[in-house]
Amino acid sequence: MSFSGYKNIIEEGDTVILYFNREVAFFAQVKTGDLFSCRFGSYKHEDMIGQPFGLKLTSHTGRGFVYLLHPTPELWTLVVPHRTQIIYTADIAFISTYLDLKPGVKVIESGTGSGSFSHSIARTIGQTGHLYTFEYHLERSELARAEFLLHGLQDGVTVQNRDVCKDGFGLDNEVDAVFLDLPAPWEAVESAKKAIKKNTTGRICTFSPCIEQVQRSCAALAENGFTEICTFECLTRGYESKSVAMPTLDQAIRNLKTKVLKRKADKSQAYGQKRDKDVNGSENDSPEEDSLVPVKSVNSLPVSKPVLDLRGHTSYLTFAVLPPVFFEN
Ligand code: SAM
């Protein structure tokens, strides 16, 4: 089975995303005899075999159902076993765009961590590209390698167990883009520069939660000849859709006039002038204005409204470009 292609029918050994709702999803490695149980029901793996991806499967207890989805990098990010902090889809999309990842691109990633971003990179660069991913934690690197094999990504991904800050990437003039999700990315910048192809525009991104880390990375990038250094923060603003009562233009004008009059009346009352004005025949005597009571709106329109809080700070994203070298001195 492969994350980079699609198949229709679920077979023994396949990875299936068990999608219950937007908040609840798991994965299963389909194996005859196994059972998946959670508070949303109980599902026999053999009931999945031979079924098409996308099927809505009813729990064998009769209560609950699940959608059996084909894995994609986005769904994998929802269900991946967390061995570390991971990168989520909003950041993944932003980084992939700014690193100009596309089919055929060769990329360095470090550390591999839980492999959340690696799956997405592998799909984006396709079979003509290559991902070199580096992880200094032995067990994590072995688990990632096994996962890539299970997901059919082994030909396009090389996992190396190595401390890239101490020993570098060991690559020379090889890749188009570098992504660093490390505690001290500045220590890997010089080696990243060596790994980037000399005759093309190389791109780099560092992913760091603290601004002090960003400052050190920016300094190292500038020292090593990177240009267009730029830092972003990727935040999410939610939108809620609801129906709101919309006044017609006439109703809106009428309601506005009422508000203005009320404000005037309140003001003059506050200054003790209301009685004087009434005696002298103030604007409140106008029959037109007296009749200005707010009108209830009758039209109901669906609108989307942004919710106030911005969520999603995971890290700062610092991008830079390494210009091509046409003539070596
Ligand atoms: N981007 C990954 C993902 O989406 O799943 C998560 C990466 S995780 C936050 C950082 C990883 O970098 C950890 O697994 C850690 O062991 C590894 N790491 C830290 N310093 C390293 C170094 N000097 N060389 C290689 N890997 C390193």
Side-chain angles (χ1 to χ4, degrees):
M1 116 151 290
S2 170
F3 266 58
S4 49
Y6 287 92
K7 60 190 268 189
N8 289 328
I9 303 296
I10 300 170
E11 295 172 278
E12 178 89 23
D14 280 349
T15 302
V16 175
I17 306 294
L18 306 173
Y19 189 90
F20 291 92
N21 59 47
R22 282 160 63 111
E23 271 83 43
V24 185
F26 303 93
F27 76 98
Q29 217 64 52
V30 175
K31 186 167 170 235
T32 306
D34 278 5
L35 183 74
F36 178 85
S37 293
C38 70
R39 65 194 165 102
F40 294 110
S42 203
Y43 304 88
K44 289 181 185 166
H45 283 208
E46 56 245 48
D47 290 346
M48 302 177 195
I49 295 172
Q51 300 292 352
F53 277 105
L55 182 86
K56 183 174 165 182
L57 182 69
T58 307
S59 164
H60 79 90
T61 60
R63 286 169 63 92
F65 61 85
V66 63
Y67 292 99
L68 306 178
L69 301 188
H70 195 290
T72 63
E74 290 76 16
L75 289 171
W76 186 248
T77 290
L78 288 183
V79 300
V80 62
H82 284 216
R83 303 182 280 267
T84 59
Q85 294 261 31
I86 65 162
I87 304 210
Y88 291 93
T89 301
D91 284 314
I92 288 176
F94 198 86
I95 299 163
S96 302
T97 305
Y98 270 77
L99 284 183
D100 204 16
L101 302 189
K102 56 192 173 207
V105 164
K106 291 186 175 178
V107 187
I108 281 176
E109 175 202 33
S110 187
T112 314
S114 306
S116 164
F117 191 24
S118 324
H119 278 76
S120 182
I121 298 175
R123 195 242 342 240
T124 306
I125 62 179
Q127 283 163 10
T128 48
H130 200 88
L131 170 63
Y132 302 90
T133 182
F134 296 82
E135 171 58 57
Y136 75 176
H137 189 284
L138 180 62
E139 194 188 346
R140 276 180 213 150
S141 66
E142 284 171 352
L143 285 169
R145 193 176 293 118
E147 233 164 52
F148 297 142
L149 183 63
L150 204 59
H151 295 162
L153 299 173
Q154 70 282 4
D155 292 341
V157 182
T158 308
V159 185
Q160 284 195 52
N161 175 227
R162 174 196 280 259
D163 182 339
V164 299
C165 293
K166 226 168 86 227
D167 304 323
F169 297 105
L171 291 170
D172 196 356
N173 196 16
E174 185 70 27
V175 303
D176 303 275
V178 176
F179 174 67
L180 303 176
D181 182 3
L182 299 167
W186 54 91
E187 290 178 1
V189 167
E190 198 181 329
S191 174
K193 179 182 179 180
K194 193 162 179 247
I196 290 174
K197 288 177 189 164
K198 304 282 175 279
N199 61 351
T200 56
T201 301
R203 293 177 197 279
I204 192 167
C205 173
T206 67
F207 187 79
S208 299
C210 306
I211 205 73
E212 292 77 11
Q213 289 169 302
V214 171
Q215 287 170 319
R216 294 190 73 169
S217 295
C218 289
L221 288 166
E223 265 168 37
N224 281 281
F226 286 83
T227 60
E228 296 178 40
I229 301 168
C230 200
T231 299
F232 297 86
E233 188 183 24
C234 187
L235 299 174
T236 331
R237 185 191 285 277
Y239 278 77
E240 58 183 31
S241 63
K242 57 181 182 184
S243 287
V244 293
M246 293 291 280
T248 63
L249 187 59
D250 282 349
Q251 287 167 342
I253 292 169
R254 193 184 174 86
N255 291 346
L256 205 61
K257 275 189 178 174
T258 313
K259 254 192 214 160
V260 171
L261 282 178
K262 188 171 177 313
R263 207 173 301 144
K264 271 190 189 168
D266 290 349
K267 216 171 164 185
S268 50
Q269 208 170 18
Y271 287 99
Q273 294 163 351
K274 190 172 185 299
R275 184 189 303 255
D276 295 346
K277 280 198 173 173
D278 286 343
V279 169
N280 298 332
S282 73
E283 62 262 53
N284 286 347
D285 292 337
S286 149
E288 191 208 352
E289 285 155 356
D290 275 347
S291 64
L292 282 177
V293 285
V295 179
K296 270 207 159 170
S297 311
V298 283
N299 302 336
S300 192
L301 278 187
V303 295
S304 74
K305 279 187 70 179
V307 292
L308 284 184
D309 61 325
L310 284 171
R311 276 179 285 152
H313 175 85
T314 45
S315 281
Y316 296 106
L317 300 168
T318 299
F319 293 90
V321 160
L322 190 63
V325 179
F326 294 113
F327 307 105
E328 297 267 19
N329 288 332

